[in-house]
Amino acid sequence: MKNRIRELRLTREWSQSTLADALQVSRQTVNAIENGRYDPSLPLAFAIAALFSLTIEEIFQPCAQGQDRPCRTKNA
Amino acid sequence: MKNRIRELRLTREWSQSTLADALQVSRQTVNAIENGRYDPSLPLAFAIAALFSLTIEEIFQPCAQGQDRPCRTKNA
DNA sequence: ACCGAATGTAAAGCCTCCTTGACATACCCA
DNA sequence: TGGGTATGTCAAGGAGGCTTTACATTCGGT
């Protein structure tokens, strides 16, 4: 699962800590999601979308097979 | 996290097993999600949305506090 | 009465999500 | 040089997502 969180965060000039506080999760969680170590839970994905005033689909993109996107797991 | 999966499934006259096969998850997983025992992972939420040709937001609704929606956990 | 399909639920186990605490690096600035 | 901020990562642990196997109930059809 690819996401645009880092891009959206940097546009607002927020640190990972600032974003983590706004989302009420730990800084490590933000870092892990930005770096693709795991996907957020669905409730957290909703919180992220709400914070950036975007839809989940505008922030996250599932990885189709055979594309050039780097993904941890098949279609994730 | 509330969802309209049962409604969408019944409209198509699919059994939980049929839906589970289409999503490549177990029947118990479909049942648990329909009955609000837990939320799907984000990749599974994308698969559900794709199957019904809807957005995640059209299928899932996070629970705001103080509303009449029954939810397992706070804001989930 | 019996059968099969559909649904609900439970237990055990594995992997993922998220936490706290800690440590390392790099950078900027005084 | 030393301090503060930002980032990346690790370990250990708890909660949640998903699996298989299994059993119970309900319903429609014959």
Side-chain angles (χ1 to χ4, degrees), chain B residues 5 8-9 11 13 23 26 36 39-40 43 45 48-49 51 59-60 72 74:
Chain B
I5 295 177
L8 295 166
R9 175 176 64 81
T11 296
E13 296 185 323
L23 295 171
S26 69
D39 300 320
I48 293 168
L51 184 61
I59 302 178
F60 298 94
R72 270 165 46 255
K74 169 172 140 340

Side-chain angles (χ1 to χ4, degrees), chain A residues 25-26 28-29 38-41:
Chain A
V25 294
S26 68
Q28 287 84 342
T29 292
Y38 50 74
D39 299 321
S41 66

Side-chain angles (χ1 to χ4, degrees), chain A residues 2-47:
Chain A
K2 214 172 153 47
N3 73 70
R4 303 201 297 132
I5 296 177
R6 170 160 292 154
E7 166 197 347
L8 295 165
R9 174 176 65 81
L10 292 177
T11 297
R12 286 157 180 78
E13 294 185 326
W14 291 346
S15 69
Q16 291 181 348
S17 279
T18 302
L19 176 55
D21 288 348
L23 295 171
Q24 303 188 79
V25 294
S26 68
R27 176 183 69 84
Q28 287 84 342
T29 292
V30 168
N31 186 38
I33 294 172
E34 281 194 357
N35 287 303
R37 281 210 298 270
Y38 50 74
D39 299 321
S41 66
L42 188 54
L44 181 51
F46 266 96

Side-chain angles (χ1 to χ4, degrees), chain B residues 29-49:
Chain B
T29 293
V30 169
N31 186 42
I33 294 172
E34 281 194 358
N35 286 303
R37 280 211 298 269
Y38 51 74
D39 300 320
S41 65
L42 188 54
L44 181 51
F46 266 96
I48 293 168

Side-chain angles (χ1 to χ4, degrees), chain B residues 38-71:
Chain B
Y38 51 74
D39 300 320
S41 65
L42 188 54
L44 181 51
F46 266 96
I48 293 168
L51 184 61
F52 290 121
S53 300
L54 294 170
T55 64
I56 289 179
E57 288 81 1
E58 286 168 330
I59 302 178
F60 298 94
Q61 300 158 340
C63 297
Q65 291 161 307
Q67 291 193 344
D68 57 344
R69 295 204 201 101
C71 283

